[in-house]
Amino acid sequence: MISDISFKIVKKLIDKSLINDTDEELYAYGLFVLLSQILYFILTITTGFLFNIVLEGMIFYIAFQFIRRYAGGIHASSELKCEIATTTSIFICLLCTKLCETNNIQTPILVLTIIAAVSIFVFCPLDTPEKPLTKEEYKYFRKISWVILLFTMLAICIGWYLKFEFLMYPCCMSLILESILLVLGKIKRLIKK
């Protein structure tokens, strides 16, 4: 798993006296985040090659990472579940992007995207019990999420108007996936209460 690799690398850096052992967890977490981003980007590009939509894959990944970082959403209970869910989500979103381009199903996707955008607008940001947001952080993340949502919707509108499906569909998929994660996160939180 990625966290094991991160800790092994950090241990080697500590053994070589390149970093201080008091910061071990901080370095391991930072490396974990970096390695995760690289791994999922490579996975997205590989899946994009598989479906012959590499550019769309990159657009999806970038759009999704921006909105996910600030809007939040459900988190898996273990690293393995997270890796499986993330891999599956990327694969499904890129498969849907390919199917949308092949079958030209703009209207249903745009309707789903509008519903997704409303969900994100209403529910963001969603923090975690492990890292709850302060009132100021909540306001900050909400504003940033709304700005990212606005720019993503603008990209979708431009893609629709100019018939740039390579831009429109992956942006739509990023918002649809994020809204699913937000709604599931809200449901999970309600069930726990």
Side-chain angles (χ1 to χ4, degrees):
M1 291 207 258
I2 301 170
S3 62
D4 295 334
I5 295 168
S6 301
F7 271 103
K8 286 178 184 175
I9 293 170
V10 169
K11 290 275 190 206
K12 288 187 187 242
L13 293 172
I14 290 170
D15 292 343
K16 293 183 179 188
S17 299
L18 294 172
I19 60 172
N20 192 336
D21 64 346
T22 57
D23 297 327
E24 178 181 2
E25 288 199 19
L26 179 65
Y27 282 109
Y29 177 73
L31 195 55
F32 168 79
V33 171
L34 177 65
L35 292 176
S36 296
Q37 296 298 317
I38 292 169
L39 173 75
Y40 294 128
F41 185 73
I42 291 169
L43 174 70
T44 303
I45 297 302
T46 304
T47 306
F49 272 118
L50 178 69
F51 295 135
N52 198 26
I53 54 168
V54 175
L55 178 60
E56 292 90 330
M58 289 190 301
I59 292 169
F60 164 77
Y61 185 80
I62 292 166
F64 178 70
Q65 286 303 315
F66 272 111
I67 193 72
R68 172 74 169 160
R69 180 172 292 134
Y70 292 97
I74 194 166
H75 288 276
S77 57
S78 73
E79 185 181 344
L80 180 61
K81 288 179 183 176
C82 177
E83 290 169 356
I84 292 169
T86 303
T87 301
T88 304
S89 298
I90 290 170
F91 184 83
I92 290 172
C93 285
L94 293 183
L95 175 62
C96 288
T97 299
K98 180 64 175 182
L99 292 173
C100 288
E101 285 184 359
T102 305
N103 298 308
N104 195 18
I105 52 172
Q106 284 186 3
T107 304
I109 293 303
L110 289 172
V111 169
L112 282 174
T113 301
I114 291 167
I115 294 168
V118 170
S119 298
I120 294 168
F121 184 83
V122 171
F123 293 131
C124 77
L126 183 66
D127 57 0
T128 62
E130 299 80 30
K131 282 177 56 178
L133 297 174
T134 66
K135 199 174 202 177
E136 292 78 27
E137 289 172 330
Y138 181 85
K139 288 178 184 177
Y140 172 78
F141 280 93
R142 189 168 183 90
K143 285 179 188 175
I144 297 295
S145 297
W146 285 352
V147 169
I148 293 168
L149 178 62
L150 176 68
F151 277 105
T152 308
M153 289 301 291
L154 183 61
I156 291 168
C157 290
I158 291 168
W160 172 79
Y161 182 75
L162 297 177
K163 310 252 187 283
F164 288 168
E165 293 178 345
F166 70 89
L167 175 64
M168 183 184 75
Y169 287 128
C171 288
C172 288
M173 288 302 141
S174 71
L175 294 184
I176 292 168
L177 177 58
E178 177 57 24
S179 71
I180 291 168
L181 297 174
L182 269 173
V183 169
L184 289 175
K186 284 288 187 183
I187 291 169
K188 182 179 178 182
R189 181 173 285 179
L190 290 173
I191 289 171
K192 282 190 174 182
K193 287 183 180 179

